[in-house]
Amino acid sequence: MARKLFIAANWKMNLSAQQGTALASELAGSVSSDWSVEVAVCPPNVYLSIVHTALEGSAIRLGAQNVYYESNGAFTGQVSPAMLVDIGCDYVIIGHSETRHTIEPHEGDALINRKVLAALAGNLKVILCIGETLDQREQEHTESVLNAQLSAGLANVDSNLAQKITIAYEPVWAIGTGKTATTEQAQQAHAFVRARLGELLSPAAAERICIQYGGSVKPNNAAELLAQPDVDGALVGGAGLKADVFLEIIKAGL
Ligand code: PEP
């Protein structure tokens, strides 16, 4: 089954309200709904509403960078799936390497799974990030790490929800470092992830699920990465903060 490429920008904790609005407006005016690529931007929560307004009428979807698993109540600082849907989000990133390894307290697989289940139940599409550290790769633990993160992250997920799930394979050593996985490394990891999705969900679900690559994707490496048979898109950090640069990456997928 042909999978539509999906390219998303994770703005992380960057840009001002004015810069975010300008970036979203420029992208909205440049990305055509005829393009064969799904495009999304994931601004900080405080800018979701203004970016949603800037994207109105465009082909670009809105995503958040995290979510909490409860629907409401005394959970200071958190946002629920329903709140993200209410503000116009289609997507949410869950399990990003910075929430797993950098921001304290680190998120573990059990928490990530609760978030995945709550987001799907709340009608959000999930971008579940997985990836090994440099140490784990050097010790040849890449596949066992991916397997553990995938199995735990997708525990109790109904295989009929495959169309609402994207997996982002993001080797931690490639995020924000300028080091990109080679096309062979990316394809090998993606093929492994797809095979495991087949066992965890169903072969049909595995064929359907988009597996993005993330980790220093730039205009000069995007086309080669996106040409790999199991690379179905990209999750882009730094290169998603400038309209012309992000557009070049999107166009590499056309
Ligand atoms: C990311 O944040 O998911 C990411 C891949 O960042 P960068 O493209 O900057 O490496």
Side-chain angles (χ1 to χ4, degrees):
M1 181 203 292
R3 292 175 292 272
K4 190 175 183 182
L5 286 184
F6 175 30
I7 300 182
N10 172 11
W11 293 2
K12 309 193 186 188
M13 198 174 75
N14 289 302
L15 305 179
S16 65
Q18 193 269 331
Q19 288 168 327
T21 311
L23 174 56
S25 304
E26 194 171 341
L27 292 171
S30 309
V31 172
S32 162
S33 52
D34 295 337
W35 290 1
S36 54
V37 178
E38 169 98 339
V39 178
V41 295
C42 305
N45 283 352
V46 287
Y47 302 147
L48 285 171
S49 188
I50 51 168
V51 170
H52 181 248
T53 304
L55 295 177
E56 224 148 43
S58 83
I60 303 174
R61 309 281 116 214
L62 187 67
Q65 298 173 16
N66 207 343
V67 68
Y68 197 57
Y69 56 80
E70 294 286 358
S71 47
N72 53 57
F75 304 104
T76 301
Q78 306 300 314
V79 294
S80 69
M83 289 171 181
L84 295 180
V85 170
D86 194 22
I87 210 82
C89 286
D90 285 303
Y91 289 97
V92 64
I93 296 170
I94 298 178
H96 190 275
S97 83
E98 285 144 21
T99 70
R100 289 181 188 265
H101 301 290
T102 310
I103 301 158
E104 293 189 326
H106 298 169
E107 291 191 354
D109 283 318
L111 173 60
I112 288 166
N113 177 242
R114 291 185 84 166
K115 292 183 172 193
V116 168
L117 293 170
L120 291 171
N123 221 15
L124 282 166
K125 293 179 182 165
V126 167
I127 302 174
L128 172 64
C129 300
I130 59 172
E132 81 287 0
T133 62
L134 185 57
D135 212 36
Q136 289 164 336
R137 175 163 281 270
E138 284 173 351
Q139 290 182 36
E140 298 184 3
H141 292 159
T142 298
E143 291 191 350
S144 62
V145 170
L146 297 183
N147 184 31
Q149 292 179 345
L150 209 52
S151 320
L154 293 179
N156 301 313
V157 167
D158 185 336
S159 65
N160 291 322
L161 296 178
Q163 77 282 2
K164 295 175 73 181
I165 299 166
T166 295
I167 304 296
Y169 167 60
E170 300 204 299
V172 179
W173 48 272
I175 298 179
T177 59
K179 286 186 201 157
T180 318
T182 64
T183 48
E184 292 74 24
Q185 285 171 324
Q187 169 55 27
Q188 201 178 9
H190 282 230
F192 173 78
V193 168
R194 196 171 312 283
R196 280 301 291 140
L197 288 171
E199 289 158 4
L200 288 168
L201 299 173
S202 70
E207 276 311 300
R208 194 166 185 161
I209 290 178
C210 168
I211 307 175
Q212 295 176 320
Y213 170 79
S216 298
V217 175
K218 308 278 179 230
N220 65 1
N221 58 25
E224 207 188 347
L225 285 161
L226 295 173
Q228 300 305 305
D230 287 293
V231 178
D232 310 315
L235 184 55
V236 182
L241 295 172
K242 289 219 165 86
D244 55 341
V245 180
F246 188 48
L247 282 166
E248 268 195 76
I249 293 173
I250 298 167
K251 285 178 184 164
L254 294 179

